[in-house]
Amino acid sequence: MAEKTEKEKMLCGELYLAFVPELVAARRRAFHACNRYNNAGEVPRRRLVELWRDITQDTRPLPPPAASEEEDEKLFEDDPWVEAPLRSDYGFNIRLGSNTFIGCNSTFLDICPVTIGSNTLVGPSVNFYGGGHPLDGKIRNGIKGPEFGKPINVGEDCWIGGNSTILPGVTIAEGGVVGAGSVVTKDVPAWHVAAGNPARVIRKIERNEKQSLVEGQAKVEGVEGPMAEVAQKLEEKGI
């Protein structure tokens, strides 16, 4: 059996060397693809979708243009909406579901797949850090040493508050909510709220609370308010 390439090791979650020519070229491609997206300016929705698919290397053909720009935009109403600017290591490991929103200044270290389910909302400046390094500095050895990746999975109907960071190997299950400014190091169960640094599960979302979440509110111990206010109250309580 042939020895695995460094890219194959990376995709398997094994230790790999990131600064081999194949992976350097892949990161350079993603860098320029992100720049084209970030600097697109005032272009039709069709062009933004085309540029996004270039980042993720999604080769599906676009539908034929509609008769008007308004009708043409409707063809892409279920495509994910990603606000510029963004950064990605590789792009081809980003997988976004339909009707998903990603706020500006997002960062995807997509060493392994970063999967975000349909109907999920992600605030601005959220980081998906799918990579890691050995703790021993001698093994880490700067850019000459090995690193590794783990997948990140975000389910459907989730909400991640702005300035949050999701670390390697984390799963946020269906309906999970992450408070603004959180650092998520462990899994978040379905229909639960997690917040803090490191994030802790603080409560379960009852089924009759779903409408309040849709309206952009969250409840913590009977106090309602936007996620920023929720985060402040958690800090005051020492959570």
Side-chain angles (χ1 to χ4, degrees), residues 139-183:
I139 297 174
R140 195 164 56 244
N141 194 25
I143 64 173
K144 296 180 181 179
E147 54 187 76
F148 64 90
K150 293 182 180 180
I152 293 173
N153 292 289
V154 180
E156 296 184 354
D157 300 305
C158 292
W159 176 20
I160 301 177
N163 286 296
S164 295
T165 297
I166 317 301
L167 294 186
V170 163
T171 293
I172 301 171
E174 179 187 10
V177 174
V178 174
S182 297
V183 177

Side-chain angles (χ1 to χ4, degrees), residues 43 47 128 148 175 197 230:
V43 296
R47 178 59 176 156
F128 297 91
F148 64 90
N197 181 7
V230 172

